[in-house]
Amino acid sequence: MAEPQLLFDYTGHLPECPTWSAEEGSLYWTDILENEIHRYHLSSGKHDVIQFSEEVGCFALRESGGFIVAMRSGIWLTNKTGLIVGKVCDNPSNPDLARFNDGGTDRQGRFYAGTFWGPGDYNGALLCRVDNDLTPHVIQHDIHGANGLAFSEDGKWMYTSDTPNAVIYRTPLDAQGEPGVREVFKRFAEGEGIPDGAAIDSEGYYWTALFDGYRIARISPQGKIVEEHRLPVRCPTMVCFGGEDMKTLFITTTRENMDDEEVALLPLSGAIFTLRVEIAGMEKLKFREI
């Protein structure tokens, strides 16, 4: 079985939202708490950083170029250098209490972004969808920390996780992206780790980063863990597929809320790892505007 390898010499604060660009041969990701989007070109080793004015919870590449970015204040369109060129909407949560967190695109190129409820006193977060005509919709509530967004290849199922509540959900979608009734896909017991960011492979299996669990897991369509890979860090945050054959799994990790002693024990916390897998994944689609 393959072992995780370091992508390059880098450790961030809260790396998230890894996104592979096949056209560029590059991996993008955000460091939420440093207000940054990063780009690493695999063949040259060139590493670029785009600085923003507030936390970047998640983003997607746009077909027209640049990014759609979910920041604390709202969802914005930017050019490839991060310059804001348009506003989609305000944060529909209270931005003083909830920032955007996990997000991505579905099989029709619509953008989704969920929030994380900071106070933690109840499930006050939500999930938004931005249609191809830039119309925003709040499509789910009753969430503590939105995570784990992924879509089945046929676009009929949306998977999400609620990390603090240690649960993965799946929700049927119609052709317009309207959700049906959310159902529990898998719950995790105390000590197993809690499900964070995710991706789906070409066989329909769901890969999740298990925050506090030192590992990532591959879960069958029936909700059974069939494969696990341990990491030299406590908190992986998200996975995505990439590489020429889409059989490289990129894994972001964090050192958020770790004291100096724990960082000394787990110095690779905040690094990005790669893992070669046998089954190819699906590429994240770019946001499609009409």
Side-chain angles (χ1 to χ4, degrees):
M1 183 178 292
E3 295 291 330
Q5 305 293 324
L6 279 176
L7 175 62
F8 73 114
D9 184 15
Y10 159 84
T11 51
H13 191 175
L14 179 52
E16 278 271 16
C17 200
T19 301
W20 172 251
S21 169
E23 293 174 350
E24 301 176 36
S26 297
L27 182 74
Y28 287 85
W29 69 94
T30 177
D31 190 325
I32 296 177
L33 299 181
E34 298 299 325
N35 307 348
E36 297 168 343
I37 289 179
H38 293 245
R39 174 184 178 270
Y40 181 74
H41 186 250
L42 268 66
S43 63
S44 70
K46 189 173 187 294
H47 178 207
D48 300 306
V49 182
I50 303 171
Q51 190 71 47
F52 292 83
S53 61
E54 53 187 289
E55 301 103 315
V56 179
C58 58
F59 68 93
L61 301 174
R62 298 163 60 202
E63 286 187 348
S64 58
F67 309 94
I68 182 169
V69 182
M71 295 190 281
R72 179 177 286 271
S73 62
I75 300 176
W76 305 82
L77 302 177
T78 80
N79 67 12
K80 65 181 181 180
T81 67
L83 178 68
I84 290 175
V85 297
K87 182 178 183 179
V88 177
C89 65
D90 291 322
N91 182 347
S93 293
N94 180 340
D96 293 329
L97 301 177
R99 62 165 173 79
F100 276 107
N101 192 52
D102 183 76
T105 51
D106 66 12
R107 308 315 296 169
Q108 287 72 40
R110 295 176 289 234
F111 181 67
Y112 295 68
T115 60
F116 197 102
W117 185 247
D121 52 345
Y122 78 107
N123 291 342
L126 48 79
L127 179 65
C128 301
R129 184 189 74 235
V130 177
D131 289 340
N132 306 110
D133 64 0
L134 300 181
T135 302
H137 307 270
V138 175
I139 62 169
Q140 284 186 341
H141 296 85
D142 190 27
I143 303 166
H144 186 164
N147 253 317
L149 183 76
F151 296 88
S152 61
E153 188 170 11
D154 61 11
K156 294 182 178 180
W157 289 96
M158 175 179 71
Y159 292 80
T160 56
S161 65
D162 189 337
T163 302
N165 288 319
V167 61
I168 301 170
Y169 296 107
R170 66 177 182 178
T171 305
L173 298 179
D174 67 16
Q176 287 71 47
E178 294 301 318
V181 177
R182 185 179 73 177
E183 61 186 45
V184 172
F185 178 62
K186 184 172 180 60
R187 291 191 184 276
F188 289 80
E190 186 174 354
E192 289 186 309
I194 49 180
D196 205 316
I200 287 182
D201 66 28
S202 58
E203 292 186 343
Y205 285 64
Y206 182 89
W207 289 79
T208 181
L210 289 173
F211 192 91
D212 277 338
Y214 292 88
R215 68 198 193 283
I216 60 172
R218 184 180 188 234
I219 304 174
S220 74
Q222 293 74 40
K224 303 295 184 183
I225 293 178
V226 297
E227 189 175 332
E228 293 183 315
H229 297 269
R230 192 165 178 86
L231 297 163
V233 298
R234 176 168 60 86
C235 295
T237 57
M238 194 171 180
V239 298
C240 85
F241 289 94
E244 291 185 2
D245 59 2
M246 295 300 291
K247 291 184 178 180
T248 296
L249 202 62
F250 294 97
I251 308 160
T252 52
T253 71
T254 184
R255 57 177 55 194
E256 181 189 13
N257 296 327
M258 294 182 181
D259 59 24
D260 292 343
E261 182 179 358
E262 184 173 13
V263 170
L265 289 172
L266 300 170
L268 296 180
S269 299
I272 297 176
F273 295 87
T274 64
L275 178 70
R276 292 292 293 167
V277 296
E278 295 181 1
I279 306 301
M282 293 184 294
E283 185 178 3
K284 290 184 179 181
L285 298 183
K286 294 180 179 180
F287 177 60
R288 182 180 306 130
E289 299 157 59
I290 57 173

